[in-house]
Amino acid sequence: GTGLIVEWVAGEIGARPLPHDDYQLVAAFYVPLLKDSPAVDAMLALVADGGRLLLVHHADFEPKHGNVD
């Protein structure tokens, strides 16, 4: 084995306590984040020193004002 431990936790940010607060990778996919959202701080608080926060989302665009490919 690689000695790698993977712990999958899925759910709403802040909806329930997590087992610990020092994850090496915190990933969020298509989370509806508003500017200055407290959810970003909540996710950052879960990242261990030297860890990573990965946010995946669609780029902002206004379909009425541009082309969408």
Side-chain angles (χ1 to χ4, degrees):
T2 64
L4 179 66
I5 298 171
V6 176
E7 179 179 0
W8 292 95
V9 179
E12 185 177 335
I13 298 165
R16 63 185 171 109
L18 297 175
H20 47 90
D21 62 358
D22 59 346
Y23 294 93
Q24 290 297 316
L25 173 64
V26 174
F29 297 87
Y30 305 106
V31 177
L33 295 174
L34 301 174
K35 187 176 182 178
D36 300 323
S37 170
V40 174
D41 289 334
M43 288 184 283
L44 283 171
L46 296 171
V47 180
D49 288 340
R52 300 285 187 260
L53 173 60
L54 171 65
L55 294 175
V56 177
H57 61 90
H58 295 287
D60 290 333
F61 69 90
E62 294 183 36
K64 294 183 223 173
H65 303 288
N67 294 328
V68 178
D69 293 332

